[in-house]
Amino acid sequence: MKIAIISDLDVRSMEYYVDKHEKIKDIYHISEDIRSKLISDHNEDVDWDKLPSLFSSESEMEDFLKANRKKSKFQKGKKTAILNTLKGGLSQLTEEDIESMRKNKRQRLEKEFSDEIKIFLPQCWTLEYELARSSVAKKLALAIELANAEKSNKDLTQEEIDSLKTDLYKKYDHVLTPTEAYEIFKPLNDNKVSKAITAHHLAEIIDVDDKKGFEEDEFLKYIVSAIRYVTND
């Protein structure tokens, strides 16, 4: 039996860090100097062949050491010394880092499955974010506004809905930047509106022509591929 796993990639966009923290996130870059020092000083403790180019957190470092240590237990002080060396590359996250994190995580997850079981992953972050980056972004924006009105117990007239639709479709009638996509996605990410109610409205708004383009849409085709995989379509 073929099994398709549809999962989020869960690597946030740069806009998230600016929005939530008012500054760019710091991460741990592994420079060639750091790599050389680790190999020179701790080659007998850890297999460094799979050392990534960056770590987004100290817990990722811990996981890496656990998975790649050569001995069952580090000698006293060894682990601390290794972690201190790894932490020496703390510096600001870049867009290139985010793309690298996405690529590495995608490769790691895909390698975990084989034979009949396959995992299908988005380009960037979550399904909601992919929708905001996709060809139906303006329709998602409308669905979110309708869900927000429903949450507020506000009964919109058809004239108000038509006006809202005209304004949003005009505002987002172009290929969106990541910042614009995040602007649409933000109410869902912040739990300001219901994802279920938004999905209900979006399902009513999407039409046949939209569906025809999903397979060619770089942000949505992973879902179509998953469905085709298990249905032999």
Side-chain angles (χ1 to χ4, degrees):
M1 179 183 293
K2 290 184 177 180
I3 297 172
I5 300 171
I6 298 177
S7 175
D8 291 335
L9 192 59
D10 283 331
V11 178
R12 293 166 172 150
S13 68
M14 185 69 78
E15 290 73 25
Y16 168 85
Y17 298 108
V18 175
D19 176 45
K20 298 298 181 184
H21 306 289
E22 297 183 351
K23 70 181 186 69
I24 305 301
K25 174 184 173 70
D26 286 334
I27 62 169
Y28 302 94
H29 291 91
I30 307 303
S31 65
E32 283 305 314
D33 288 342
I34 290 176
R35 186 183 296 271
S36 296
K37 181 172 177 56
L38 290 167
I39 294 173
S40 174
D41 296 349
H42 307 288
N43 199 45
E44 73 281 3
D45 301 296
V46 179
D47 181 359
W48 299 111
D49 288 344
K50 296 180 181 179
L51 180 66
S53 59
L54 56 87
F55 291 98
S56 61
S57 66
E58 292 184 29
S59 63
E60 282 191 7
M61 294 181 191
E62 296 270 3
D63 291 342
F64 172 81
L65 294 181
K66 183 177 181 180
N68 293 278
R69 65 189 179 192
K70 293 180 178 178
K71 302 177 181 179
S72 59
K73 188 177 181 180
F74 288 111
Q75 292 181 356
K76 185 177 180 180
K78 275 284 188 177
K79 184 177 179 181
T80 300
I82 292 171
L83 287 172
N84 286 338
T85 300
L86 288 169
K87 293 175 187 176
L90 187 65
S91 55
Q92 200 173 75
L93 179 73
T94 67
E95 290 285 1
E96 289 75 17
D97 292 332
I98 290 175
E99 288 306 314
S100 177
M101 291 163 67
R102 287 171 176 160
K103 178 182 177 182
N104 292 339
K105 189 169 185 180
R106 185 178 294 106
Q107 290 177 342
R108 176 173 59 80
L109 289 171
E110 287 175 347
K111 285 180 180 178
E112 291 181 8
F113 302 94
S114 59
D115 300 324
E116 291 85 5
I117 303 175
K118 290 184 67 175
I119 190 167
F120 295 82
L121 299 163
Q123 288 290 312
C124 305
W125 187 354
T126 67
L127 170 60
E128 297 86 0
Y129 183 76
E130 305 303 307
L131 285 165
R133 294 292 303 270
S134 76
S135 56
V136 295
K138 60 187 179 184
K139 297 191 174 184
L140 175 64
L142 177 58
I144 290 172
E145 289 296 331
L146 295 175
N148 188 50
E150 191 168 330
K151 178 184 177 182
S152 304
N153 294 316
K154 184 178 180 182
D155 293 326
L156 298 176
T157 65
Q158 188 58 52
E159 184 179 355
E160 289 174 320
I161 293 173
D162 291 342
S163 177
L164 185 61
K165 176 180 177 180
T166 299
D167 291 343
L168 289 172
Y169 282 23
K170 182 178 180 180
K171 181 178 181 181
Y172 297 118
D173 190 24
H174 57 275
V175 177
L176 303 188
T177 66
T179 300
E180 290 173 316
Y182 182 81
E183 178 184 78
I184 293 173
F185 162 73
K186 181 175 165 58
L188 293 171
N189 192 49
D190 292 347
N191 294 316
K192 295 292 180 63
V193 295
S194 165
K195 292 181 180 179
I197 295 174
T198 299
H200 173 78
H201 286 294
L202 183 60
E204 291 186 330
I205 296 169
I206 288 175
D207 58 30
V208 174
D209 289 336
D210 293 321
K211 295 174 184 177
K212 289 178 181 178
F214 286 172
E215 197 163 9
E216 284 73 44
D217 192 309
E218 62 177 316
F219 297 105
L220 299 179
K221 62 184 180 182
Y222 75 106
I223 296 176
V224 179
S225 297
I227 295 169
R228 289 194 181 283
Y229 177 69
V230 294
T231 58
N232 295 314
D233 187 357

